Amino acid sequence: MKPRVGFFDFASCEGCQLTVLNLENELLDLVELMDIIEFREISSETGGELDIAFVEGSICRPEDVRRLRAIRRRSRLLIALGACADTAGINALVSDRPEAELVREVYGDDPELMPAAGHPRPLSAFVQVDGRVPGCPIDGQEFLAILQALLIGRQPELPGFAVCAECKLAELPCTFERGIVCLGPITRAGCSAHCVAEGDRCRGCRGMVDEPRSGPYYRILEEHGLDLDAIREQLRTFNLAGEVKK
Amino acid sequence: MKIAVNHLARIEGHANLVIDSARGQVRELRLEIVEAPRFFEPMLKGCHYSEVAPIAARICGICSNSHTLVSLEASERALGIEVSEQTRQLRRLLAFGEILQSHLVQLYFMALPDYYGVASILPLVHSERALVHHALELKRLANDILRVIGGRPVHPVTPVVGGFTRLPDAAELMDLRRRLVLVLPDLEATVEIFAGLDYPDFEREVTALSLLGDGDYPVFGDTLVTSGGRGAAVADFRDLVEEYQVPWSTAKFARMDGRDYMVGPLARLRNNHDRLSAMARQVAEALDVGPATANPYRILPARLVEVVHGVERSIHLIDDLLLAGLQEEELPAPDRFGAAVAVIEAPRGLLFHAYDYGDDGRIRAADCIIPTAQNLASIEADLRLRVPQVLDLGREDLTRQCEQLIRAYDPCISCSTHLLRVDFD
């Protein structure tokens, strides 16, 4: 029997599910390899036990927690799809401000019109997560590699080294030489340094590599006349959740 | 009869439909927007101008390019930066790429299954091989336009304040041009598919609001126009449109002159029909959509007309770019820090961003109005009129017709919830 797979989303832009749909060359093969039981964005079908649930988005409210737990109960494996699910990603940018203040600022003071809102949290804050596809958005090819591992019963592995290494292998000019802060030295690889290749810098959307070597990184920063504040500002965009935890 | 459809499928984001009727009367009808708020405007506060567009893009995966482009334009206006003609043309091509991608996903993946009586396009992989082939060919090309110009389909990398971090190769543009011509048979087949659909008979007069095209069908622009012929400057958008809250929605609704109005493909087509490309005008005629179309189910063919227009105009844009030759350019620096607004015709309609920058180059206040937020009141008004007409169809068909109607607007709930207003200080 084909594995039963579902796609779900919480607070997010749905761009990671869209990245799956953008695999036009592989989509027909994927449909042969697995039964896509649920994928609300493109299907009105629902139901049943799942072998793999891919979940995009952050968890903000009690009703989100309930829906996530219900998905967890009927799924053998639950995989965080993209930065919002994996680390709270860009959603966490508001985590350093009180929730009530945010709601008041956007929706006003009328209690009847004030929606429930909480700080966004990653899936792992509430349920067991069996794997993750990092990035904002995810990398389609990396998703395929992780899916392949899951389908043959292997634990998918993420690179344990930094984007900087992929960048050097691709022989790209170092972003620091342009006097710009790059998060490549401390961000987990797996994207082939896509943004640097496109002429931008690494903004750290894939989250930090395990135990980043901060010593040499500070030295690089100093050599280029940059300081801790510059890097802290860069880290805010995708890694504020981690900062707040410390 | 009570109908409650939770987490409506085949739309972007989370909404519930609630209908309560008795003795042929609708007692209650609500489109509940249940998406969690994400507070993008507070996120943008304090952001340096180089960070604003990448954050704004994350409001929505399916229209991240439109958010990026309008964000860049609002910032550039506020910073006194003038971009080159080459940059303007490349951005226009990027905008067409996204309109094609977003429209094709909606037409083939979200809308068409209703008309084929299936839950999704997936079962059609076997039963309608040709149809799925057309869908994937067209969609792949749309994504490749986004890759070549913007670096990737979702959350573009190359567009920045002042221009692009890298330019496409001439060879890549030539390849896109060749393929834009090669997909014309797929496009023709798509037109035949949508010409053969049985759109429900239903009409409701509603004001259409869009940009007024400057010699061309609009993408960017400075002038708004209503279907009643009233014009307004983009800078006065905030005075024209009033946002309001309803207790059942985390997205704000919008009205103009105290009434609901429509934005998006049909609104644009009604207001700019004479600016469509030659091929698109022919298709509009074949699909029976024009300035007088009042059936919201017919937003689908209007969307397809825009796909045809986008393909034809992309070919011309690439010709113009290749003829002029691509030039590497220095990115201009800001010469002031002020406030400005910009509007783009995103796939779903008028998308408005307004920023106020402080002297440190950081955002003091941000304000955005989203196409779907502008359409929500119109969707509800359509449903209020439609439901009593089809109450005797029974629960299943009634629900399906309502869902079809909601989907025709292609609501993007993530967008509409994720950007709400912050008052200017």
Side-chain angles (χ1 to χ4, degrees), chain A residues 159-194:
Chain A
F161 50 90
V163 170
C164 221
E166 286 183 321
C167 200
K168 297 292 169 289
L169 280 172
E171 298 183 357
L172 295 167
C174 182
T175 311
F176 281 102
E177 279 164 19
R178 291 187 280 138
I180 293 169
V181 180
C182 181
L183 294 182
I186 52 169
T187 299
R188 187 182 302 281
C191 56
S192 314
H194 181 79

Side-chain angles (χ1 to χ4, degrees), chain A residues 233, chain B residues 41-48 360-365:
Chain A
E233 161 139 26
Chain B
E41 282 146 340
M43 279 185 206
L44 288 175
K45 266 195 184 175
C47 270
H48 188 255
D360 52 359
R362 291 174 189 279
I363 293 240
R364 282 198 299 215

Side-chain angles (χ1 to χ4, degrees), chain A residues 9 12-14 21-22 24-25 32 40-42 44 61 91 106-107 136 194 198 201 233-234, chain B residues 10-14 34 38 51 58 61 119 126 139-140 143 151 165-166 245 250 252 362 420:
Chain A
D9 55 85
S12 65
C13 75
E14 301 191 11
L21 292 180
N22 284 347
E24 290 95 3
N25 294 328
E32 296 304 322
R40 191 197 46 80
E41 200 172 2
I42 59 155
S44 39
R61 304 167 296 184
N91 292 332
V106 174
Y107 294 91
C136 179
H194 181 79
E198 293 287 357
R201 57 178 176 272
E233 161 139 26
Q234 281 301 303
Chain B
R10 280 184 275 121
I11 60 168
E12 206 284 346
H14 294 262
V34 292
R38 283 171 74 206
E51 307 289 324
R58 266 73 184 181
H126 297 291
K139 188 164 137 35
R140 184 181 0 246
N143 275 329
T165 60
R166 70 125 181 89
Q245 284 171 259
T250 51
K252 289 180 186 176
R362 291 174 189 279
L420 296 150

Side-chain angles (χ1 to χ4, degrees), chain B residues 103-422:
Chain B
H103 280 10
L104 288 162
V105 167
Q106 203 282 330
L107 290 168
Y108 271 114
F109 284 72
M110 296 175 173
L112 206 62
D114 286 325
Y115 291 86
Y116 279 70
V118 286
S120 76
I121 195 173
L122 301 177
L124 303 182
V125 167
H126 297 291
S127 60
E128 300 283 345
R129 294 190 90 90
L131 180 150
V132 174
H133 174 81
H134 303 314
L136 292 181
E137 284 301 309
L138 288 163
K139 188 164 137 35
R140 184 181 0 246
L141 175 57
N143 275 329
D144 285 342
I145 296 175
L146 297 175
R147 276 188 198 100
V148 167
I149 311 297
R152 67 181 166 205
V154 177
H155 305 327
V157 183
T158 64
V160 290
V161 169
F164 286 87
T165 60
R166 70 125 181 89
L167 297 176
D169 290 338
E172 291 176 304
L173 288 178
M174 272 188 267
D175 185 54
L176 286 181
R177 192 202 188 281
R178 185 182 59 82
R179 289 172 54 205
L180 281 160
V181 175
L182 280 178
V183 295
L184 291 177
D186 294 295
L187 197 53
E188 208 176 325
T190 305
V191 172
E192 268 170 44
I193 290 168
F194 281 85
L197 299 186
D198 190 12
Y199 303 101
D201 267 332
F202 170 67
E203 292 198 334
R204 187 178 73 88
E205 295 297 333
V206 63
T207 301
L209 179 67
S210 73
L211 279 174
L212 180 65
D214 184 11
D216 193 1
Y217 199 77
V219 178
F220 300 98
D222 289 307
T223 312
L224 299 159
V225 68
T226 71
S227 46
R230 181 169 153 210
V234 156
D236 299 328
F237 194 63
R238 262 263 158 246
D239 303 324
L240 191 70
V241 166
E242 178 204 355
E243 280 185 304
Y244 62 102
Q245 284 171 259
V246 293
W248 57 86
S249 168
T250 51
K252 289 180 186 176
F253 283 45
R255 58 193 163 208
M256 182 169 53
D257 305 326
R259 297 209 48 175
D260 63 284
Y261 64 97
M262 172 197 270
V263 297
L266 184 56
R268 284 190 287 257
L269 189 145
R270 285 173 60 191
N271 294 352
N272 294 278
H273 180 259
D274 51 348
R275 293 174 186 84
L276 283 168
S277 72
M279 204 160 64
R281 231 187 339 243
Q282 274 184 326
V283 170
E285 202 169 314
L287 291 172
D288 196 20
V289 276
T293 301
N295 180 349
Y297 291 97
R298 291 196 163 269
I299 302 174
L300 261 53
R303 194 168 285 126
L304 182 53
V305 168
E306 292 198 333
V307 172
V308 175
H309 176 85
V311 167
E312 194 171 0
R313 286 292 293 129
S314 295
I315 293 172
H316 296 159
L317 268 172
I318 291 175
D319 284 345
D320 291 346
L321 282 160
L322 287 172
L323 203 63
L326 290 163
Q327 311 287 335
E328 290 289 342
E329 295 169 337
E330 286 282 317
L331 294 178
D335 74 359
R336 63 183 143 89
F337 295 105
V341 306
V343 167
I344 190 172
E345 282 285 1
R348 290 159 191 76
L350 290 173
L351 171 61
F352 165 99
H353 280 219
Y355 304 143
D356 180 13
Y357 279 98
D359 289 337
D360 52 359
R362 291 174 189 279
I363 293 240
R364 282 198 299 215
D367 180 16
C368 309
I369 303 174
I370 302 300
T372 295
Q374 299 171 71
N375 275 334
L376 287 171
S378 180
I379 298 174
E380 275 198 0
D382 281 349
L383 288 169
R384 279 208 185 87
L385 189 63
R386 183 59 177 161
V387 168
Q389 296 174 0
V390 288
L391 264 182
D392 51 1
L393 281 181
R395 176 182 292 268
E396 203 172 308
D397 283 351
L398 168 65
T399 307
R400 193 170 48 87
Q401 283 224 359
C402 290
E403 288 186 293
Q404 266 173 300
L405 201 150
I406 295 166
R407 282 185 197 117
Y409 280 86
D410 189 14
C412 182
I413 308 295
S414 303
C415 258
S416 65
T417 320
H418 295 158
L419 263 181
L420 296 150
R421 177 159 186 239
V422 180

